[in-house]
Amino acid sequence: MNAKEISLEEGKVKPVVDHLNDLLANYHIYYQKVRGCHWNVKGQNFFTLHVKFEELYTAALTTIDELAERILTLGKPPYSTFKDYIETAQIKEIQTIGLKDTKMVKAIIDDLAILIAKEREIMEITAKAGDDGSNDMVNAFMQFNEKNTWMLRSFVNED
Ligand SMILES: [Fe+2]
């Protein structure tokens, strides 16, 4: 599979693929962090946050698969090892055992800010490459993260 089979130029698609792989790595670290929050959250907000974190990591799992398969559609292999994810991702792992619930939410808000910034950058790169498919896909991921930033910030009373 080569980019030209779907009417895209190989040279222009290269930066798209590189950035999608970078985003994939970040989503993997984010996914496991949210999963850890889902497992380890304690206190009065348990029932609210346990469910909310499940919603977020379930969405991340779908996003991860769509990103990887888009990279394959563009003719390249997606990063597929945790070694690659840890080395590549700007988002860093944290210990969620014993972490206060509001600190969990703030950690997720910080990660969403990183994902949104990366997605906004990919919007420009895909536009330059004429890759409307990746552009549209990443736009949807970004909007989901933007909306959840509002909700999580409301939860911790941040304007
Ligand atoms: Fe669960």
Side-chain angles (χ1 to χ4, degrees):
M1 179 72 187
N2 192 299
K4 70 176 186 311
E5 265 101 60
I6 51 169
S7 316
L8 288 169
E9 276 179 51
E10 192 73 24
K12 286 187 181 171
V13 161
K14 168 86 170 68
V16 173
V17 168
D18 290 346
H19 282 79
L20 291 178
N21 250 329
D22 173 86
L23 189 62
L24 177 67
N26 278 279
Y27 262 102
H28 267 280
I29 307 300
Y30 163 78
Y31 167 81
Q32 189 53 39
K33 190 181 298 180
V34 182
R35 189 113 217 194
C37 291
H38 169 77
W39 290 332
N40 296 313
V41 65
K42 285 190 188 301
Q44 304 264 308
N45 296 314
F46 175 85
F47 289 108
T48 306
L49 288 178
H50 183 68
V51 171
K52 185 64 192 175
F53 290 141
E54 181 165 357
E55 180 201 326
L56 291 177
Y57 77 65
T58 303
L61 208 54
T62 305
T63 300
I64 283 166
D65 202 51
E66 287 188 25
L67 277 171
E69 291 178 359
R70 183 68 195 173
I71 292 165
L72 288 159
T73 299
L74 295 172
K76 297 284 178 294
Y79 288 151
S80 303
T81 66
F82 278 103
K83 183 173 181 285
D84 282 336
Y85 302 144
I86 289 165
E87 281 174 7
T88 307
Q90 184 185 338
I91 291 177
K92 297 299 170 204
E93 296 186 291
I94 57 167
Q95 177 59 267
T96 57
I97 298 170
L99 190 65
K100 194 173 174 334
D101 57 354
T102 50
K103 287 217 167 123
M104 287 180 174
V105 173
K106 285 181 183 177
I108 300 307
I109 291 170
D110 289 347
D111 285 0
L112 290 178
I114 292 172
L115 293 174
I116 290 167
K118 287 182 177 294
E119 286 160 348
R120 215 175 283 293
E121 190 190 1
I122 293 172
M123 299 298 294
E124 284 177 30
I125 292 161
T126 48
K128 268 188 213 147
D131 182 359
D132 294 332
S134 298
N135 189 286
D136 189 50
M137 185 187 79
V138 172
N139 196 342
F141 300 154
M142 185 179 71
Q143 289 178 51
F144 179 83
N145 291 336
E146 287 173 336
K147 187 171 185 176
N148 277 287
T149 296
W150 156 59
M151 288 193 272
L152 294 173
R153 286 176 65 87
S154 298
F155 182 85
V156 290
N157 266 315
E158 286 185 4
D159 292 327

